[in-house]
Amino acid sequence: NLLIRISESDTFREMDSDQLVVLATLKAEETGNLKEALLIYEIILLRDPYNWQAYNNRGLVLYEMGRMDDALFSYRKALELNGEADATLYNIGIYYRDKNRYDEAIEYYQKALAIKPDKTSALGHLVGIYFSKKEYKKALEYAEKAYSLEKDHINLSNLCIALALAGIKEDALTKTEGLRGTKYHEKIRAYIFYFTEEWGSCTSEIDKFFQLWGFDYDLSIKRVYCLIHVNDIKGAIAWLTELEEKHYLYPSDYNNMAWMLYEKKLEPKYVARLLRKAVEGDPSILAAWKNLQCVLAEMK
């Protein structure tokens, strides 16, 4: 009843579905008012319960609000109404990717591509999934296809990384020249050197990036790893301490860095401190709990 009254209020009564969609988009994207955007989509669906686009967009808003399972329900309603909605298939792919359910994500991205073969965003996500699955030749296949369709910086970056991971490093570095003058140039070169375990070159590219473009979280963490790999433990700890003072660090990174330092036979008390930060930040990281127990047992 409340939704009906709001729908019939002066604010919304004279607006049709297309106007409401525009208003909801403005609320979500320009003002960040996700609750009001969600309300508008509820009004659209109250008036037109067969509007698949409203269900799809409602899912996007719910996803942005962190209500992932509610978003999936909304996406599925959209598909019931329009089984050829490539955007909705793609959005369900994102849901499964973010749940690390890669095979299901691949299935939905492939369904989206069957309808819209030039959907480069889906191809790019498939590249990322195959990186995670360590199926680098498959990643390269999709990276080449995406770049052939749209020669932008993101697709070129993916192609360079895919080439490096597939063992074609020199081609990867050559192609990074197409990124020169953009923030991707030094960043992708740093990734290539990281993947090929050239720690000094990786650190050099990271430092160039910071000088040109400023802070980047992932590169900052990789700089710690590089310093650990070359046994510059003091440098790694100093850099990590500086990061902690200025930025929030993900619990998984605390765990990974702690264990790398532990393997270098560093003072267990420092490693235990990092692992405690990992489990305090995310108690669901079982590896961090196991690592902490291992280190504490050694300290007794």
Side-chain angles (χ1 to χ4, degrees), residues 186-210 218-219 221-227:
E186 289 76 23
K187 186 170 188 174
I188 299 305
R189 287 177 63 84
Y191 284 157
I192 291 171
F193 289 126
Y194 188 85
F195 297 141
T196 55
E197 299 185 0
E198 298 174 64
W199 312 120
S201 296
C202 180
T203 303
S204 176
E205 293 295 333
I206 291 172
D207 289 342
K208 288 178 188 176
F209 180 95
F210 291 155
D218 190 54
L219 289 181
I221 297 299
K222 279 183 167 49
R223 193 176 192 278
V224 177
Y225 295 153
C226 288
L227 292 170

Side-chain angles (χ1 to χ4, degrees), residues 235-262:
I237 294 175
W239 181 251
L240 176 55
T241 302
E242 184 177 337
L243 281 178
E244 287 184 291
E245 291 174 353
K246 297 179 180 178
H247 305 283
Y248 168 81
L249 302 189
Y250 293 123
S252 58
D253 287 323
Y254 271 120
N255 175 62
N256 295 337
M257 289 185 290
W259 195 249
M260 288 182 69
L261 290 168
Y262 178 72

Side-chain angles (χ1 to χ4, degrees), residues 27-185:
K27 294 291 184 183
E29 296 181 1
E30 294 193 5
T31 69
N33 193 333
L34 298 176
K35 288 185 178 180
E36 193 162 347
L38 182 60
L39 172 64
I40 294 169
Y41 285 120
E42 299 291 1
I43 290 172
I44 296 172
L45 291 168
L46 174 69
R47 297 176 180 176
D48 180 7
Y50 299 101
N51 189 322
W52 75 269
Q53 187 71 61
Y55 271 115
N56 178 76
N57 293 4
R58 176 178 179 270
L60 291 172
V61 173
L62 287 165
Y63 206 86
E64 189 71 19
M65 296 171 75
R67 296 168 57 182
M68 295 174 65
D69 292 336
D70 290 336
L72 180 63
F73 176 82
S74 200
Y75 293 148
R76 292 201 181 282
K77 290 292 292 184
L79 274 187
E80 288 176 13
L81 297 167
N82 181 6
E84 297 295 302
D86 64 276
T88 304
L89 291 164
Y90 170 78
N91 291 335
I92 295 176
I94 292 175
Y95 170 87
Y96 284 120
R97 181 204 64 179
D98 290 349
K99 291 284 187 178
N100 295 327
R101 293 164 61 175
Y102 295 138
D103 290 340
E104 289 157 294
I106 290 169
E107 176 188 348
Y108 278 92
Y109 288 137
Q110 294 287 17
K111 286 179 178 179
L113 287 165
I115 296 166
K116 191 173 178 12
D118 61 348
K119 195 174 185 69
T120 55
S121 54
L123 291 168
H125 283 201
L126 284 168
V127 173
I129 286 174
Y130 283 112
F131 284 161
S132 298
K133 289 167 68 71
K134 298 185 178 180
E135 296 181 30
Y136 301 132
K137 288 185 178 179
K138 199 72 175 176
L140 178 56
E141 175 188 329
Y142 284 109
E144 289 176 331
K145 186 172 182 180
Y147 187 62
S148 71
L149 291 168
E150 187 173 354
K151 290 178 170 55
D152 62 13
H153 293 148
I154 293 175
N155 288 332
L156 179 54
S157 296
N158 281 341
L159 177 57
C160 292
I161 294 172
L163 284 166
L165 289 171
I168 316 173
K169 173 193 159 188
E170 293 308 318
D171 281 0
L173 289 173
T174 298
K175 287 187 180 299
T176 61
E177 291 307 296
L179 300 167
R180 187 172 289 280
T182 75
K183 65 179 181 180
Y184 298 101
H185 182 254

